[in-house]
Every structure is written in structure tokens, then in C-alpha cells.
Amino acid sequence: MTKRILLLLLLMLAVVAQAQPLGSIPYKSFYPGNLWFDTDGNIINAHGGGVMCHDGRYYWYGEHKGEHSNSALVGVTCYSSTDLMNWHNEGIALSVSDDPQSPITRGCILERPKVIRCASTGKFVMYFHLELKGRGYAAANVGIAVADSPTGPFTFVSNGRVNAGIWPLNMTEEQQTSTENLKGLESWSKEWVRVIADGYYNRRDHNDGQMARDMTLYVDDDGRAYHIFASEENMTIQIAELSDDCLGYTGRYVRVDAAGQNEAPAIFKKDGTYYMITSGCTGWAPNAARLLTASSIFGPWTRHDNPCRGKGADLTFQSQSTYILPVGDGFIFMADRWNPDNPIDGRYMWLPIEWEDGLPVLRMTKRWNLENK
Ligand code: DGJ
């Protein structure tokens, strides 16, 4: 009997040791997909986010979400941490505006904020996907904000379409001058895909600027920064070089995986190769991730198979990429498990990037530590 009780106690202890700490108890591991509490014991509210490291501290920026709506009612949140597991709430880095005339007025759609430190100005620059209030996802604008401190407050600078009047570096003269259009073509027919791959939407938006939806920022080893975004009706990714002050564009940009319909781009570089993980395009519902590689940021980019492995791989373990963070020699894949019926309850899926046959792979794990990777 005593032996049995002892065994039971040991079993309970083992379960507790594996379980995620609640409230403000410090975390010693990552628990992908579980509730994640900040150091005050509140659930972290930073969706579609990215992480920047500055002066030995990590800053996590994300969309503040409420219970009933995906619209931006508060703004972009910021949390900070030294160990990536225990996050201190730094408050609202960029607030939505009370001015109904402001492009970031309360009730707009403000998604996937990312922050970098601009090498030439030393300022902190935030880019995000902005949809103007009451216009659904039609505006497809980029929003830009700037701050002197990583925690903000960020000041809204501008918004709009991207690279108006400029052709991509990898669009031929024939493609630029083509008059082909989609009239009479069945969606997803071979011909429809070809006309889009040949730049139909890029030409359509040439004068007013390219659409910019799901996005990330990337700073290369030389300090040059890039905005990487779903463009051309979400059919083609674009990579656009930022100007020295990081508040605009140089006009140098490329189309990537034309007509490949990628969303949620996240990028990293290892040993001279650029790796981009994206998703397909199914709204808030998960789909299979994709992998692209290139030896230059401006391509050519090669598409590979789904990098996810094991159970749930075909739906990216019910999540969608948002950012890839270099840590030491490794990389953390950050993704969102969206919950459109209760957006605040969207979960964070942070997984270690592993390698198989020279390519990055992702495996679902319930708990992991940086030391084991
Ligand atoms: C998928 C995108 O990745 C999200 O950021 C969001 O824009 C949803 N679509 C909206 O349906």
C-alpha cells in the first residue's frame, strides 16, 4: 500500500515537473501552443509579431488583440526579456489614434508589426500591414512608425502602397510592356496562373504602387534592411530594399515565387544562404508551410517541399509563420495559432529550427529548451 502511494506521488511529481508554470512563476522551457503568461501573470498579447535584440535584451512586438474583433483597438504591444521565455510587459509601443482622419485610427486593421534598429540613424523603425478602417483588406498598405527607444512610444510616419512607378529588378521588358490580362480566364487555370506569374498585377499597380500585406523585415549582415511582403493580390512575394534612413525604399525590389500565392513570410540567413518560410493563403485557417532558398536576397529563389515533419505537418501544427529569430548558432521559428472567434486566445508556436539534408525542418514538440538545441 505504502509502495503504491509512493509510486502515485512520484508519478504526480513527474507530471508537475513537465507541466507549464502558471502565472508569474519563471519559465525554464518553451511550451508551444500553450497559454503564455508575462512576468505579471497576464497572458501575453502580441500576435503576428517579431522579436528584435538590442543591447542584450529581446523585444517582442505584436498585434494587441481583443475578444471579439481582429481590428486594431489598442495598437502594437511590446514585451522585453533577457531569456526569451520570461517576458515583461513594456506597454503599448504604437497606439492607434483617436483621430478618425488618421490612417491608424482605432478600428483599422494593423497586422504583423516588425521592428528593426536602423543602422545609419540608430532609430527604431516599425513596419506593419495596414488596412484602412472600413475598407476590409482593400488598401493593402504598409505603415511605418519610428521611435528613439525600443519600447517606444513610436510615432506614425506614413502609409501607402510600395514602389509606385518602379519596375522590379527581375521583370523583363517584355513583361513590363505586355498587355495580357485575365479577362475570360478561369481562376487557377494554367493560363490564368501564367499571366499572373508574368506580372499582370504588378503592371496593374505600377502607377499607384504595389500592394503590401503579410510582411516581415530583415536586416542583412551589411546593415541593409529589406521589407518582405505578400503583394500582387497575395499571389507574389516582393522583397524591397529600404533607404538609408529605413523610412522608405530605394526602388530596388524583386518578385519572388511569382503566382506562388505565399503569405506570412519569415526569413533567416545561415552560412550565406537565405531561407524563407511562408504559408499558403487560407485566411485564418492553417495550411502547409513552404520553404524557399536563395544565395542572394534578390534571388533567384528556389521553392522546396514543406519543411514541417511528423504529425500535423500538413497544417504547420495548426499555425502560421510570423518571424524567425537567430539565437546563438540556432534559429527560433515563431508562428501564430490563430483563433478568429476569440482573437485574444490566439496561441504562440515557437519551435526550434532543426536541419535535415542541409535544409531547415520543423517538428512539433510540447516542451523544449534552448540548451537542448
Ligand atoms: C492570413 C494572414 O496571414 C493574417 O495575417 C491575416 O491577414 C488573415 N489572413 C486575415 O484573414
Side-chain angles (χ1 to χ4, degrees):
M1 187 66 174
T2 354
K3 229 180 184 180
R4 266 199 194 166
I5 293 175
L6 203 67
L7 264 175
L8 201 69
L9 272 173
L10 279 175
L11 198 73
M12 277 163 68
L13 264 177
V15 169
V16 169
Q18 286 293 316
Q20 171 198 307
L22 280 181
S24 55
I25 298 169
Y27 289 95
K28 295 201 174 86
S29 304
F30 295 96
Y31 297 86
N34 278 20
L35 288 174
W36 197 344
F37 296 90
D38 67 16
T39 50
D40 297 325
N42 298 314
I43 290 170
I44 294 176
N45 195 337
H47 308 265
V51 172
M52 178 200 63
C53 187
H54 176 64
D55 277 350
R57 217 172 164 82
Y58 293 99
Y59 296 87
W60 177 0
Y61 304 88
E63 303 160 30
H64 177 282
K65 286 199 186 281
E67 283 171 12
H68 305 293
S69 160
N70 267 298
S71 297
L73 302 176
V74 174
V76 177
T77 50
C78 176
Y79 294 80
S80 78
S81 170
T82 50
D83 63 11
L84 293 166
M85 287 169 287
N86 297 285
W87 292 92
H88 171 70
N89 186 353
E90 299 282 359
I92 305 305
L94 173 70
S95 292
V96 292
S97 170
D98 286 322
D99 175 0
Q101 300 307 320
S102 166
I104 58 164
T105 192
R106 200 179 306 280
C108 65
I109 294 174
L110 195 167
E111 294 181 347
R112 299 183 174 270
K114 306 288 178 306
V115 172
I116 54 169
R117 181 155 193 256
C118 185
S120 71
T121 64
K123 302 236 183 229
F124 299 90
V125 178
M126 179 189 292
Y127 276 52
F128 50 91
H129 166 200
L130 178 66
E131 296 293 350
L132 305 175
K133 186 174 178 179
R135 292 188 46 198
Y137 278 84
N141 280 356
V142 61
I144 305 174
V146 68
D148 292 325
S149 141
T151 52
F154 280 77
T155 307
F156 178 65
V157 176
S158 64
N159 78 295
R161 291 280 180 95
V162 177
N163 281 322
I166 302 171
W167 293 112
L169 298 173
N170 60 348
M171 200 161 160
T172 64
E173 214 181 309
E174 204 186 337
Q175 288 173 328
Q176 293 171 20
T177 52
S178 163
T179 54
E180 281 186 322
N181 59 57
L182 300 179
K183 266 185 216 125
L185 298 181
E186 195 186 319
S187 297
W188 295 107
S189 64
K190 244 183 167 178
E191 191 55 6
W192 184 87
V193 171
R194 186 193 63 74
V195 172
I196 291 173
D198 270 347
Y200 168 70
Y201 289 126
N202 192 292
R203 286 193 298 276
R204 183 197 69 181
D205 294 340
H206 179 73
N207 291 337
D208 296 336
Q210 301 295 314
M211 301 173 91
R213 292 202 182 116
D214 278 13
M215 56 139 286
T216 191
L217 291 178
Y218 177 71
V219 182
D220 213 336
D221 305 334
D222 59 2
R224 208 17 103 189
Y226 298 85
H227 178 207
I228 300 162
F229 52 98
S231 190
E232 305 182 26
E233 300 288 356
N234 285 352
M235 289 299 285
T236 297
I237 292 280
Q238 292 186 4
I239 300 184
E241 189 178 70
L242 299 192
S243 52
D244 283 345
D245 65 5
C246 304
L247 298 178
Y249 301 87
T250 62
R252 282 162 50 81
Y253 77 104
V254 288
R255 305 175 71 226
V256 174
D257 199 23
Q261 208 188 35
N262 294 277
E263 276 194 320
I267 184 171
F268 70 102
K269 184 182 184 182
K270 185 174 160 53
D271 301 333
T273 300
Y274 298 83
Y275 299 89
M276 180 157 41
I277 296 180
T278 66
S279 73
C281 205
T282 49
W284 299 111
N287 54 57
R290 291 102 177 266
L291 172 70
L292 297 112
T293 59
S295 54
S296 152
I297 187 123
F298 280 154
W301 286 82
T302 307
R303 181 129 156 214
H304 303 264
D305 292 338
N306 180 357
C308 297
R309 297 283 179 274
K311 197 170 163 231
D314 51 341
L315 294 179
T316 319
F317 319 114
Q318 304 285 334
S319 68
Q320 187 184 30
S321 40
T322 181
Y323 197 73
I324 295 171
L325 176 70
V327 181
D329 291 339
F331 300 88
I332 300 180
F333 171 79
M334 294 169 51
D336 293 278
R337 192 174 268 182
W338 304 114
N339 186 350
D341 294 331
N342 184 11
I344 195 174
D345 193 31
R347 304 293 173 84
Y348 312 106
M349 292 282 295
W350 289 23
L351 294 172
I353 295 224
E354 298 175 15
W355 295 88
E356 210 175 81
D357 303 327
L359 289 175
V361 293
L362 296 163
R363 283 191 182 81
M364 180 56 192
T365 162
K366 287 197 169 142
R367 176 188 184 204
W368 65 280
N369 303 309
L370 284 171
E371 308 86 66
N372 305 342
K373 296 294 160 192

